[in-house]
Amino acid sequence: MNLKEFLDKINGIKDAAFSEIKASKDKETLEGVRVKYLGSKGLLSELSKAMLTLERQDRPEAGKTLNQTKEEITLEHKRAHQEVLKAPVSESDYIDVTLPGRRVPLGHRHLITRTSQEICHIFEKMGLTITEGPEVETDYYNFEALNFPQDHPSRDMQQTLFVGKELLLRTHTSCVQIRTMEKTPPPVWIVVPGKTYRRDDDLTHSPMFNQVEGLVVDKGITMADLKGMLAEFARQFFSQDTKIRLRPSFFPFTEPSAEVDIACVNCGGKGCRICKGSGWLEVLGCGMVNPALYKNVGYDPKTVTGFAFGIGVDRMAMLKYHLDNISRFYAGDVRYMRQFPS
Ligand code: PHE
């Protein structure tokens, strides 16, 4: 081979290599091209062996051109390789479309929310409207207007959490009785769900708990209406054969006042560990609205009468679902709450 033939051959190989690189659209084809031209048994390496057939004085130029060409092809190959890597891959390259889809886990209401809503719904069906009020209250709405006199021992019934001199975390939802009557003339038929706070903490008490308050003020409302409404509530919430009883009690804002017991949901009244042998469980406080409250909100005690009640939602949930520790409601353990889907 003479020099001219050698150089022509190099050019031919270079053109072929470039056009094959250009035509390669994936890594595998490009690798084939690399082996074919740049590999140890490739065309260029064959050509460098063929250099020995050249005249001695032609060899330096031939060698130089060969090396240059090798470099150019290598560079072009690298560039093409980068391009192929950047190119968008089709989804089927990385998604196995035959795999089953991933389910998005579906949450549900917390048992307390659900119980509170169930309680409210029963009263809504009886004509009461859901109303709410603030959790941080003034001394006036939590105590004063509800007929708890300053420095009176009746305030000790509630282990209050104060957040300022006149401000506190409400100890009950009864404050909303005053807030509503202040704003609306009678008749008032409301049910008030909400969080309440007391400095209590044991198996059945948590510093934050939930109540549902009821207030009915209208013409000619009697204690029989109160008892009838609560008896019907107990039947709907627990079961049709649930019995209730009223025991005399005291609240400054109701007169007369009563505690309501339901026949033990565990033993049905025979007496067991849950009801401490009595057959009855205390579930709520109630009474006829104390006329002193009407004075505070500008109602005429001669034309209206009413009743109020306050239900502990946590206690109702524990009784209905036979739970023993209130703190589980607020521990934030999803595994526990998952047992009560809704
Ligand atoms: N507010 C009372 C409590 O939290 C319950 C109650 C409400 C009693 C309404 C009578 C009337 O203990």
Side-chain angles (χ1 to χ4, degrees):
M1 218 181 333
N2 64 30
L3 182 62
K4 185 171 176 317
E5 282 168 351
F6 189 87
L7 295 179
D8 282 351
K9 206 154 185 177
I10 290 185
N11 270 333
I13 289 177
K14 183 177 156 184
D15 288 349
F18 266 63
S19 68
E20 275 182 48
I21 287 173
K22 201 168 169 194
S24 304
K25 295 286 171 248
D26 56 63
K27 277 196 300 195
E28 290 72 29
T29 326
L30 264 179
E31 177 60 9
V33 177
R34 191 191 65 78
V35 172
K36 178 173 171 189
Y37 293 94
L38 303 165
S40 56
K41 289 181 188 141
L43 292 174
L44 290 179
S45 131
E46 255 171 42
L47 214 53
S48 78
K49 279 177 209 142
M51 263 195 342
L52 294 171
T53 63
L54 294 178
E55 296 294 333
R56 197 168 273 276
Q57 77 272 14
D58 290 337
R59 288 186 198 166
E61 193 184 341
K64 207 173 128 198
T65 317
L66 187 66
N67 281 341
Q68 235 172 32
T69 307
K70 198 170 174 175
E71 238 165 69
E72 283 170 42
I73 296 176
T74 307
L75 264 174
E76 182 62 12
H77 185 272
K78 263 197 189 145
R79 196 197 50 72
H81 189 75
Q82 296 285 320
E83 207 109 289
V84 164
L85 289 185
K86 265 191 283 173
V89 216
S90 83
E91 282 192 349
S92 60
D93 283 350
Y94 58 89
I95 291 180
D96 182 352
V97 292
T98 65
L99 281 176
R102 253 178 239 151
R103 254 172 217 283
V104 179
L106 201 59
H108 60 78
R109 288 175 299 173
H110 190 284
L111 184 59
I112 293 298
T113 310
R114 169 178 152 194
T115 305
S116 175
Q117 288 176 354
E118 275 171 18
I119 295 172
C120 287
H121 188 61
I122 294 171
F123 289 112
E124 275 189 296
K125 286 190 287 182
M126 299 183 198
L128 283 69
T129 303
I130 294 186
T131 309
E132 287 180 308
E135 287 171 34
V136 178
E137 263 299 3
T138 59
D139 184 274
Y140 179 75
Y141 287 110
N142 198 86
F143 293 125
E144 197 76 29
L146 285 166
N147 201 34
F148 288 81
Q150 278 287 343
D151 301 320
H152 192 275
S154 60
R155 289 198 181 207
D156 296 345
M157 286 165 59
Q158 314 212 335
Q159 300 290 329
T160 315
L161 293 161
F162 285 91
V163 295
K165 194 164 176 294
E166 293 292 317
L167 280 183
L168 45 99
L169 299 180
R170 67 177 175 193
T171 59
H172 49 193
T173 40
S174 302
C175 331
V176 187
Q177 292 187 25
I178 302 295
R179 286 185 175 274
T180 308
M181 289 195 285
E182 261 184 356
K183 283 195 305 240
T184 12
V188 165
W189 291 63
I190 55 163
V191 61
V192 185
K195 294 194 182 73
T196 47
Y197 303 82
R198 283 181 208 177
R199 207 167 51 76
D200 274 341
D201 203 359
D202 61 32
L203 279 183
T204 53
H205 295 85
S206 142
M208 191 277 294
F209 60 108
N210 290 265
Q211 289 191 335
V212 168
E213 187 92 7
L215 174 69
V216 173
V217 179
D218 208 332
K219 284 199 180 104
I221 299 289
T222 70
M223 198 137 183
D225 299 316
L226 168 62
K227 190 173 179 186
M229 187 178 270
L230 292 177
E232 179 54 21
F233 163 73
R235 284 192 289 266
Q236 289 197 30
F237 185 79
F238 290 107
S239 65
Q240 273 308 313
D241 50 9
T242 305
K243 300 254 175 314
I244 66 164
R245 74 172 184 189
L246 269 63
R247 267 183 301 113
S249 183
F250 170 79
F251 298 102
F253 39 95
T254 46
E255 185 58 37
S257 303
E259 302 273 357
V260 176
D261 297 340
I262 58 161
C264 179
V265 289
N266 193 49
C267 63
K270 286 200 259 334
C272 69
R273 193 178 56 87
I274 307 278
C275 57
K276 299 193 180 93
S278 74
W280 294 95
L281 297 162
E282 183 190 320
V283 289
L284 60 99
C286 65
M288 299 307 289
V289 176
N290 190 326
L293 271 60
Y294 296 141
K295 219 177 61 213
N296 293 337
V297 298
Y299 279 16
D300 178 6
K302 287 196 205 74
T303 55
V304 288
T305 51
F307 62 75
F309 55 84
I311 305 175
V313 176
D314 305 70
R315 179 146 175 80
M316 293 304 247
M318 289 172 80
L319 290 176
K320 188 162 175 175
Y321 300 99
H322 304 282
L323 310 176
D324 57 356
N325 187 342
I326 193 172
S327 69
R328 291 207 201 274
F329 289 147
Y330 306 113
D333 188 339
V334 184
R335 292 169 306 178
Y336 185 78
M337 297 322 300
R338 251 195 221 130
Q339 299 177 91
F340 312 102
S342 76

